[in-house]
Amino acid sequence: MKTSVKALMATSAFMCAFNAMADGRLEGRVSDSAGSVYFDGAIIRLKELKLESSTKDGGRFSFNSVPAGTYTLTVDYLGAESVQRLVNVADEQTTKEVVKIGSDVASMENLIVVGQAAGASSALNKQRAADNFVSVVSSDSIGQFPDENVSEALQRVPGVFIERDQGEGRFVGIRGANPDLNSASINGMNIPSPERDRRSVALDVIPSGLLEGLEVRKTNTPDMDGSGIGGNIEVKSLTAFDRDGMSYNLSAEGNYNDLESEVSPKIAGTFTNVFDVGQGQLGVAAALSWQDRDFGSETMEGDGEWESDLEGSGYRGPVKMEQRDYTINRTRLGAALNLDWRPSDTSEYYLHSLYSHFEDQEYRQRAEYKYDDGDLAEIDGDSALWTDAEMERNLKDRFEEQKITSVVLGGMNMSGDWTYEYSVGYSKSEENEPDYHGSNFKAKDIDMGYTSLGESPDVFAADEAFVASNFELDEIEITNNYTQDEMFTYKFDITREMSFAGHPGYIKFGGKISNREKTDDVDTQLYDDFSGLGDPTMDQFSRSTVDYGLGRLGPAIDKGLIDNLINGSIVGSGTAYQDDGVLGEAYNESMVASARDYVIEEDVQAAYIMSRVDINDLRLVYGLRYEGTKVDSKGYDARLIEDANGDFSHSIEQVKFDKEYHHVLPSINARYRLTDELLLRAAYSETIARPSFGDITPSPEEISIEENELKVEAGNPDLDPYESSNFDLIVEYYPGDIGVISASLFYKQIDNFIFAADVSDMVDSSVYAPGVTIDESEIYMPMNGNSADLYGLELAYTKSFESGFLIQANATFTSSEADLDLEPGASRSSNTELPEQADTVGNLVLGYETGPFSLRLSTNYKSKTLMELDLGDKENDTYADDHMQVDFSAKYDINDSMQMYFNAINLTDEPMYLYQGSRKYNSQYEEYGPSFVLGFTYRNF
């Protein structure tokens, strides 16, 4: 690292030997004609000098080192007429200009200040002005959709798709690449993940009401992190200088979920103000959002348990089926406080903070049809009957809490041609799952089967399967999980403005150090002998039946009665279950729980050098970035050991793994202005994606054996990072009004891609259970593939009509070819598509605005996706079915300050469906029902 930094410093010193530009300075702001609203993304030019900049931070722009003289200043903003004026710049002085666009105040207010066109205009102007290829979601645009969190707001962006959990958007993918191949940051600070097994952040923990905007950066520049193969998501929270003077915004709403017939409240508010402090200004921005949501889902799951020749019948069928009913409460609390101090025109200091607190209380009632424990009596292609099979009924009582804290302290100073930027950041994510209770009841000798297959198979069982007294308490699990992801980041950037053979530009260099530690701590106790309590049956813990729309689920397990048993007879007694039969037998499931614990330390050191130069209508941004990564992993190696009596014990040994890798990542972005309306962009970059923490954990997720069947879920600390070479070609056409037509071709050549797979045919099971007789094994492990090619076409169209109509449409078409790098003679071909890559992602939005009314109908589509590979049999690969969700929004301006809105979410009750090999073979089917929101907003800006 030291050698790289010295080389970069020497190179930058050499480049700084070029002649500096002169000493004058021009700065200003761009506002509406009333001077009350400021616009980011306006393109500012000094014609004679061929200098170009764009507004940001509340409509501000600046040109340093401008020679003394008179120049033509032009301001170009989509949705308004261009403005041109003469400005005089003097040596060693700062000239200030306030440029007002839109001579017709009423027209500007309708077109830009408020309404659907405001969001589209703001986003498109920022996109057009960017050096690299970005898609922008402004705060105005976020408010026009019924999106509850950051993930859902991002699904409207071209090329972006989301993974949903219980119907809510969580993880975000870009251009066909799975979410773990993206990076995400808040106010420039990387976001650690509260999830124990993932690197990517579930952005649903951040309420959309806290945001000033979102940027999806699809091509890299050297001053960006190199760890974004799909792209980078930048979350921008509100700052006071984004607005003028004091502003505030308050909203309150109720959310009705049709499936659970529950109404849930949400309140949010923002406040900003700018205070004069001495010669400078202090900006204060605060935001708060709170939601308490009750909803649910209903699920039918084959759970990946399908066999091609079920029990020698010649038919493909399920080993088991599960009915699941979820009742969920999710609470989100988000807060942001941003302080910005600008003591002079050439310096600023800031403290930006964001806090998010997410709670998820989930109760799951489950009935499990265990066909493989019975005798197959009849079967054909669509139905089957088993006799003397088993059914299990289960209650999961899980409370999960996630917290994200992000604090960034930094500043910026300008001195002549030099700009110095620096920051130190701290972020911490936590996931706490305390006192998880899982209770399981079992009944035997039941006739059961199914009468149809498909999305939601029709399952049946004899009447005794629905009598609670027939189910005996089989097992109780008590678990405490805690995950922490903590990161310190130190960053500096230095920019030197200069002329390259008469062409304006700059050179920029800097460095970044990130120290990250991910910790996972699990403690589980499993109780499975209740003879000391008289072998309780389920009728002692049931008061009602489950309201379940996908069939007959039967009696419900009562949470309160189970808690009484656990707290009174088990935990409250203070006595462990013993073999003497006083209460039964208990043991700590250390071979699963303690062995899951891990600590992973990851240190990344980065340095870069880059340059930007404007050669007439061509802008080039190019350079190199170095990133060195060191990973230290500590965990446990667990094995099952069988004694002479057939009983199992566990062998646990602490293990350590070290891995280090280095990358030099070049990139170049070219933007050519063919006309004022037509831009051509091209880019090449090299990026990486580090393996997720769950993939490289040295500790197994699970090792278990039942009836000589071994099940293992393990990590792979020896995984290499993804490496990608990325090519982009983009055409953007901006007509004179609010609109864009764009097309982008992209290609990614990815090495060492990672995929989750059933490796039972490739791994010796004796590694996990030495000396144990194994008849069948299921061993899941992440592996590196050889290489993959991902290529696609991204199209986007936005148009705002004078009649009030608005159309936004985008579609991304991707295709991939991946080489799994299997040994010759493997049971399946080594060629496949890239896991978690969707062939088609698209959005269609139809909007209309007239007077105080605003309407918007939006449709989001994602095609089928390969989710998991089975290396033994391609027929067992798991796919997510295509998904199309329709939402509707309506708004009415009661007056200039008060607005009423109505949102309808998932109008068509679109389910989530995963299947195995063919759509006929259910892996998971889940319904959520539509939701309806009624709310009010009061604002003074």
Side-chain angles (χ1 to χ4, degrees):
M1 172 65 182
K2 291 181 180 179
T3 301
S4 301
V5 171
K6 287 180 180 178
L8 288 175
M9 295 293 287
T11 304
S12 58
F14 169 76
M15 295 297 293
C16 291
F18 284 92
N19 291 330
M21 302 174 77
D23 294 331
R25 173 178 164 81
L26 173 65
E27 67 174 42
R29 297 185 77 179
V30 176
S31 76
D32 69 334
S33 57
S36 58
V37 177
Y38 296 91
F39 302 114
D40 291 350
I43 294 179
I44 315 297
R45 296 188 180 96
L46 289 179
K47 279 191 174 182
E48 291 79 3
L49 298 177
K50 299 180 180 179
L51 289 175
E52 179 181 309
S53 184
S54 60
T55 57
K56 58 182 179 179
D57 299 331
R60 291 174 173 80
F61 68 90
S62 66
F63 294 99
N64 295 327
S65 301
V66 179
T70 301
Y71 303 100
T72 304
L73 176 72
T74 64
V75 178
D76 188 14
Y77 190 85
L78 296 175
E81 294 292 330
S82 295
V83 173
Q84 181 173 297
R85 66 166 64 173
L86 295 178
V87 296
N88 295 309
V89 179
D91 281 336
E92 300 182 356
Q93 294 184 20
T94 298
T95 302
K96 297 185 178 182
E97 293 285 335
V98 175
V99 183
K100 296 182 179 181
I101 57 177
S103 58
D104 184 346
V105 176
S107 172
M108 284 294 297
E109 287 179 345
N110 290 334
L111 185 60
I112 296 177
V113 178
V114 296
Q116 299 184 44
S121 177
S122 176
L124 292 178
N125 277 285
K126 294 174 184 176
Q127 174 181 313
R128 182 181 62 160
D131 288 344
N132 54 338
F133 186 43
V134 302
S135 294
V136 178
V137 183
S138 68
S139 57
D140 293 322
S141 293
I142 294 172
Q144 296 296 325
F145 291 101
D147 300 325
E148 298 287 349
N149 58 64
V150 170
S151 295
E152 293 179 356
L154 285 166
Q155 70 180 317
R156 316 297 177 181
V157 173
V160 172
F161 66 91
I162 60 175
E163 291 182 2
R164 299 178 186 272
D165 175 57
Q166 302 292 354
E168 293 187 338
R170 299 207 73 202
F171 295 94
V172 178
I174 303 173
R175 287 181 155 187
N178 81 60
D180 283 318
L181 304 189
N182 306 319
S183 61
S185 54
I186 300 176
N187 300 320
M189 178 70 191
N190 295 91
I191 313 172
S193 172
E195 307 274 343
R196 70 167 301 270
D197 57 344
R198 301 196 71 156
R199 181 178 294 275
S200 59
V201 180
L203 293 174
D204 65 327
V205 299
I206 304 176
S208 58
L210 301 185
L211 307 180
E212 180 59 25
L214 298 165
E215 289 186 6
V216 179
R217 301 165 179 171
K218 300 174 183 177
T219 63
N220 266 38
T221 55
D223 55 349
M224 295 170 53
D225 282 346
S227 57
I229 290 178
N232 169 264
I233 299 166
E234 170 68 8
V235 180
K236 295 180 177 293
S237 61
L238 185 66
T239 68
F241 289 109
D242 293 324
R243 298 174 183 174
D244 190 47
M246 185 178 72
S247 70
Y248 55 84
N249 182 21
L250 301 172
S251 65
E253 68 179 42
N255 184 316
Y256 174 78
N257 177 254
D258 185 64
L259 186 68
E260 294 295 318
S261 300
E262 294 283 353
V263 177
S264 305
K266 178 182 178 181
I267 57 175
T270 63
F271 170 84
T272 71
N273 205 354
V274 178
F275 303 92
D276 292 327
V277 179
Q279 297 280 324
Q281 291 184 314
L282 175 66
V284 178
L288 183 70
S289 176
W290 173 82
Q291 181 187 38
D292 186 0
R293 185 176 182 222
D294 291 304
F295 64 107
S297 66
E298 297 176 342
T299 302
M300 178 72 74
E301 295 193 16
D303 199 30
E305 299 285 343
W306 291 79
E307 291 187 1
S308 299
D309 183 12
L310 185 62
E311 299 187 31
S313 65
Y315 290 99
R316 181 171 172 81
V319 173
K320 63 179 181 179
M321 292 295 298
E322 295 183 4
Q323 299 169 312
R324 299 185 177 194
D325 182 84
Y326 292 85
T327 303
I328 304 163
N329 174 264
R330 284 183 177 172
T331 302
R332 291 180 172 90
L333 173 65
L337 176 62
N338 292 337
L339 305 177
D340 294 85
W341 180 41
R342 296 180 175 175
S344 69
D345 295 332
T346 58
S347 61
E348 65 177 76
Y349 307 93
Y350 58 86
L351 175 66
H352 292 170
S353 63
L354 187 141
Y355 173 77
S356 176
H357 189 168
F358 170 83
E359 294 182 353
D360 183 15
Q361 176 64 67
E362 178 180 289
Y363 301 107
R364 184 200 67 196
Q365 301 279 350
R366 181 180 71 181
E368 183 177 357
Y369 292 66
K370 303 188 72 171
Y371 300 135
D372 57 340
D373 288 328
D375 299 317
L376 181 61
E378 301 174 10
I379 188 170
D380 58 29
D382 296 297
S383 63
L385 169 67
W386 282 264
T387 59
D388 298 328
E390 284 188 6
M391 177 178 284
E392 293 185 2
R393 295 186 175 274
N394 172 278
L395 172 67
K396 180 176 76 171
D397 174 4
R398 179 187 63 81
F399 173 79
E400 180 184 84
E401 178 183 45
Q402 292 185 350
K403 298 178 183 178
I404 295 179
T405 303
S406 175
V407 180
V408 185
L409 177 65
M412 182 275 296
N413 303 99
M414 291 186 291
S415 177
D417 300 323
W418 296 86
T419 301
Y420 307 90
E421 298 174 272
Y422 40 88
S423 66
V424 56
Y426 171 77
S427 57
K428 180 180 179 181
S429 293
E430 300 173 89
E431 181 179 75
N432 189 25
E433 191 179 276
D435 207 25
Y436 165 95
H437 291 172
S439 52
N440 197 67
F441 294 81
K442 181 182 294 186
K444 299 181 178 181
D445 301 327
I446 296 176
D447 295 345
M448 61 178 66
Y450 55 87
T451 57
S452 71
L453 297 177
E455 288 187 353
S456 182
D458 291 322
V459 298
F460 68 88
D463 288 342
E464 56 262 32
F466 302 94
V467 178
S469 59
N470 291 334
F471 290 80
E472 187 174 293
L473 182 60
D474 177 62
E475 184 177 274
I476 288 179
E477 177 185 344
I478 303 174
T479 299
N480 291 280
N481 297 331
Y482 179 75
T483 302
Q484 178 178 289
D485 197 351
E486 192 171 32
M487 181 185 296
F488 290 90
T489 300
Y490 313 90
K491 183 180 179 183
F492 76 93
D493 303 277
I494 299 175
T495 304
R496 167 71 148 83
E497 296 188 36
M498 58 179 54
S499 175
F500 299 89
H503 299 290
Y506 63 70
I507 185 169
K508 184 177 181 182
F509 60 92
K512 182 178 180 180
I513 297 174
S514 297
N515 304 125
R516 186 173 189 175
E517 182 178 270
K518 184 98 170 184
T519 304
D520 186 47
D521 185 15
V522 185
D523 179 29
T524 296
Q525 286 190 320
L526 191 66
Y527 301 86
D528 70 347
D529 184 351
F530 304 95
S531 57
L533 297 177
D535 292 324
T537 53
M538 186 175 156
D539 57 313
Q540 300 172 239
F541 306 94
S542 181
R543 293 174 173 170
S544 61
T545 58
V546 181
D547 184 9
Y548 182 71
L550 300 180
R552 183 184 183 188
L553 202 152
I557 303 171
D558 188 270
K559 170 195 176 304
L561 296 176
I562 287 292
D563 286 348
N564 290 340
L565 172 70
I566 293 173
N567 297 327
S569 301
I570 298 178
V571 178
S573 68
T575 303
Y577 280 41
Q578 302 294 328
D579 288 334
D580 58 12
V582 175
L583 290 175
E585 181 187 8
Y587 59 90
N588 188 289
E589 198 180 17
S590 56
M591 59 90 180
V592 174
S594 295
R596 267 184 54 187
D597 296 355
Y598 67 76
V599 177
I600 299 177
E601 296 179 356
E602 180 183 87
D603 296 329
V604 179
Q605 296 181 328
Y608 72 91
I609 185 168
M610 62 180 285
S611 179
R612 188 181 84 177
V613 59
D614 289 337
I615 306 173
N616 298 323
D617 292 321
L618 173 66
R619 171 168 289 181
L620 296 175
V621 181
Y622 54 94
L624 293 171
R625 184 179 185 87
Y626 160 80
E627 290 196 356
T629 306
K630 182 180 179 182
V631 182
D632 296 325
S633 306
K634 299 177 183 178
Y636 297 89
D637 183 15
R639 292 182 177 139
L640 287 174
I641 300 174
E642 185 179 19
D643 62 20
N645 297 321
D647 297 323
F648 289 98
S649 59
H650 320 122
S651 169
I652 299 175
E653 180 181 350
Q654 190 174 42
V655 292
K656 297 181 181 180
F657 292 90
D658 299 328
K659 194 172 184 66
E660 191 170 332
Y661 43 88
H662 305 265
H663 293 88
V664 176
L665 307 170
S667 68
I668 181 170
N669 282 262
R671 188 191 75 186
Y672 186 71
R673 183 161 57 97
L674 294 168
T675 68
D676 286 342
E677 295 82 22
L678 187 61
L679 296 179
L680 178 64
R681 300 179 188 265
Y684 170 78
S685 65
E686 295 182 13
T687 54
I688 64 171
R690 298 175 180 89
S692 66
F693 293 103
D695 285 343
I696 60 174
T697 174
S699 306
E701 173 78 16
E702 176 187 356
I703 303 177
S704 62
I705 188 167
E706 183 178 356
E707 297 179 355
N708 294 336
E709 181 180 352
L710 176 71
K711 291 187 177 182
V712 178
E713 291 184 29
N716 184 356
D718 201 38
L719 287 174
D720 293 320
Y722 297 77
E723 298 174 347
S724 180
S725 297
N726 315 294
F727 301 84
D728 294 83
L729 181 64
I730 306 109
V731 177
E732 298 171 301
Y733 174 65
Y734 297 90
D737 50 13
I738 301 175
V740 66
I741 302 173
S742 67
S744 169
L745 289 170
F746 59 89
Y747 167 70
K748 300 178 185 292
Q749 200 279 317
I750 304 172
D751 293 326
N752 308 325
F753 73 91
I754 298 171
F755 62 98
D758 183 340
V759 297
S760 306
D761 291 348
M762 302 174 59
V763 175
D764 184 358
S765 60
S766 65
V767 171
Y768 301 100
V772 179
T773 300
I774 302 297
D775 295 334
E776 186 176 348
S777 63
E778 292 181 6
I779 303 174
Y780 289 90
M781 179 184 296
M783 297 180 63
N784 278 119
N786 188 5
S787 63
D789 296 303
L790 174 67
Y791 42 92
L793 170 66
E794 181 181 302
L795 303 173
Y797 171 71
T798 298
K799 174 67 174 177
S800 179
F801 298 89
E802 292 183 3
S803 61
F805 282 100
L806 174 74
I807 297 177
Q808 290 179 310
N810 60 70
T812 303
F813 308 95
T814 58
S815 183
S816 66
E817 297 176 358
D819 179 5
L820 299 176
D821 196 24
L822 302 181
E823 295 292 333
S827 55
R828 66 173 291 161
S829 170
S830 191
N831 296 321
T832 185
E833 59 192 288
L834 196 64
E836 299 193 54
Q837 172 252 317
D839 289 344
T840 305
V841 176
N843 288 277
L844 176 62
V845 178
L846 301 176
Y848 179 70
E849 189 168 56
T850 178
F853 288 98
S854 175
L855 307 174
R856 182 170 288 202
L857 183 69
S858 53
T859 301
N860 177 265
Y861 174 79
K862 176 188 174 186
S863 64
K864 80 168 187 175
T865 307
L866 172 64
M867 301 301 294
E868 188 174 282
L869 293 160
D870 185 333
L871 296 188
D873 186 356
K874 189 178 188 300
E875 197 175 44
N876 291 331
D877 289 352
T878 301
Y879 292 85
D881 199 15
D882 57 1
H883 185 96
M884 186 170 74
Q885 182 165 312
V886 180
D887 304 318
F888 173 77
S889 297
K891 302 182 187 298
Y892 175 73
D893 293 326
I894 299 172
N895 52 45
D896 290 342
S897 300
M898 179 74 75
Q899 184 182 73
M900 178 175 68
Y901 59 90
F902 170 78
N903 298 329
I905 304 166
N906 194 19
L907 273 172
T908 56
D909 193 11
E910 181 76 2
M912 181 187 76
Y913 182 48
L914 277 69
Y915 57 87
Q916 197 167 325
S918 165
R919 292 192 78 262
K920 185 177 181 179
Y921 305 118
N922 164 297
S923 180
Q924 182 179 352
Y925 175 85
E926 193 165 79
E927 289 185 352
Y928 319 103
S931 295
F932 304 94
V933 177
L934 181 64
F936 295 86
T937 297
Y938 181 80
R939 61 188 182 187
N940 80 327
F941 62 91

